[in-house]
């Protein structure tokens, strides 16, 4: 059966990834999967204590955007409605 949410451990970025997801939701909602929340795992054996939750809205999540070699430049169109002029 298909789940309504995607849950992943925040292994590499932790609280920073949760913060960036919240920021993207405010600044450019609709550009990636809707971030629901983050919660901590109380299991001391857990690889990463922080879990991130997104609505399942397709194939791309903020984690995917962060994994791109072009991150954070791959966000500029969504954040600024256009690519920034870097010629000067």
């Amino acid at each position: 059966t298909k789940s309504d949410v995607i849950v992943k451990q925040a292994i590499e970025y932790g609280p920073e990834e949760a913060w960036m997801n919240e920021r993207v939701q405010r600044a450019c909602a609709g550009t990636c999967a809707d971030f629901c929340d983050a919660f901590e795992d109380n299991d001391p054996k857990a690889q990463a204590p922080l879990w991130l939750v997104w609505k399942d809205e397709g194939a791309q999540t903020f984690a995917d955007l962060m994994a791109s070699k072009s991150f954070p430049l791959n966000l500029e169109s969504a954040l600024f409605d256009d690519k920034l002029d870097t010629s000067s």
Side-chain angles (χ1 to χ4, degrees):
T1 63
K2 186 173 176 357
S3 176
D4 292 334
V5 295
I6 296 170
V7 181
K8 292 185 178 180
Q9 283 184 298
I11 295 170
E12 294 182 35
Y13 301 104
E16 292 82 5
E17 188 173 359
W19 181 86
M20 286 296 294
N21 273 280
E22 292 168 355
R23 177 74 178 110
V24 167
Q25 283 303 120
R26 288 190 305 270
C28 51
T31 59
C32 59
D34 192 18
F35 181 66
C36 300
D37 205 356
F39 64 91
E40 290 189 6
D41 187 345
N42 292 330
D43 182 358
K45 296 177 186 175
Q47 183 178 6
L50 191 64
W51 289 81
L52 306 171
V53 183
W54 297 268
K55 286 184 183 176
D56 188 356
E57 298 183 76
Q60 191 172 37
T61 67
F62 189 64
D64 297 326
L65 294 172
M66 289 181 70
S68 170
K69 289 181 181 179
S70 64
F71 180 81
L73 297 177
N74 59 346
L75 295 176
E76 66 184 349
S77 292
L79 290 170
F80 304 111
D81 296 327
D82 201 357
K83 290 206 176 257
L84 296 175
D85 180 12
T86 59
S87 61
S88 49

